[in-house]
Amino acid sequence: MRYDSYTRLINGKHPLPEGYVPKQLTDIGLPFQASSQDSRRLLEIRTAQAALRLFQSAQRDGLNLYGISGYRSYQCQKQLYGQNPYVAAPGTSEHQSGLALDVSCAEAGFALTEEFAFTSEGSWLSRNASLFGFIIRYPKGKENITGFPWEPWHIRYVTRALSNYLALTGQTLEEYYALRPF
Ligand SMILES: [Zn+2]
């Protein structure tokens, strides 16, 4: 599988190479809880465009999503992992791909906590993310399959064709690839 595929599986068994940097990282101007030069604002370009449409659609429903963390380099993940072994090991974080974004809202105190799922924004996100090509990558009840605790704030761009398929079938990326050769 190509590393720059939008639908690729990234996890402990399928890490990204150490030197992998996504092509065309961009700051598309999403509302972010991060300073203007912070690299966490960056996303792969198609992911950024889809996230912008997602945020704008939420806004039309009177809801304000905020980006908290997008792109994270291999080096940055390595540093985080050194400080906190509970975060994903370097190479195994989807944030290195530029295809993942952590989001929150004012009601959740801009924090990445399970409480976000019970806010208006979090509930809207879980119902609408797939319409814009995103999945809630680590859902509740699938912890033993994804290897991650429930993260209602972490969305992953996989294209609309795949996000709709996964939403309809209730599958995680791991389950999707378990049924298919790479
Ligand atoms: Zn995340």
Side-chain angles (χ1 to χ4, degrees):
M1 186 161 48
R2 288 166 56 223
Y3 286 118
D4 57 357
S5 157
Y6 287 103
T7 57
R8 67 180 173 257
L9 179 62
I10 303 161
N11 61 22
K13 286 188 196 136
H14 305 279
L16 289 166
E18 183 169 344
Y20 180 79
V21 178
K23 284 177 225 152
Q24 287 195 286
L25 282 168
T26 185
D27 177 356
I28 205 162
L30 294 173
F32 240 94
Q33 285 294 106
S35 60
S36 59
Q37 294 306 310
D38 198 311
S39 66
R40 279 179 295 183
R41 289 173 167 268
L42 300 175
L43 289 170
E44 184 281 330
I45 187 153
R46 271 181 67 186
T47 307
Q49 289 162 348
L52 186 61
R53 286 192 288 273
L54 174 80
F55 278 39
Q56 286 171 341
S57 179
Q59 253 163 18
R60 284 193 290 274
D61 289 346
L63 301 170
N64 296 300
L65 294 169
Y66 286 85
I68 305 295
S69 198
Y71 173 64
R72 224 178 278 151
S73 68
Y74 183 93
Q75 284 308 325
C76 175
Q77 191 70 27
K78 198 170 160 183
Q79 222 170 24
L80 281 176
Y81 188 64
Q83 293 158 358
N84 176 2
Y86 294 101
V87 306
T92 71
S93 168
E94 290 197 322
H95 288 279
Q96 190 190 336
S97 70
L99 306 178
L101 176 63
D102 295 332
V103 302
S104 190
C105 64
E107 198 185 333
F110 305 107
L112 304 179
T113 59
E114 289 182 3
E115 283 72 57
F116 172 63
F118 307 106
T119 64
S120 307
E121 278 83 357
S123 155
W124 185 95
L125 185 67
S126 74
R127 283 181 280 113
N128 292 280
S130 66
L131 303 175
F132 298 87
F134 290 93
I135 56 170
I136 306 291
R137 178 67 178 86
Y138 309 114
K140 194 176 190 174
K142 301 274 187 162
E143 294 87 346
N144 60 336
I145 295 165
T146 63
F148 269 78
W150 182 34
E151 291 195 356
W153 61 83
H154 177 112
I155 56 172
R156 157 72 196 274
Y157 184 68
V158 293
T159 75
R160 277 173 62 179
L162 185 56
S163 65
N164 285 324
Y165 178 83
L166 295 177
L168 285 169
T169 57
Q171 289 178 5
T172 60
L173 267 190
E174 277 79 11
E175 292 165 293
Y176 176 76
Y177 281 111
L179 303 172
R180 280 167 192 77
F182 275 72

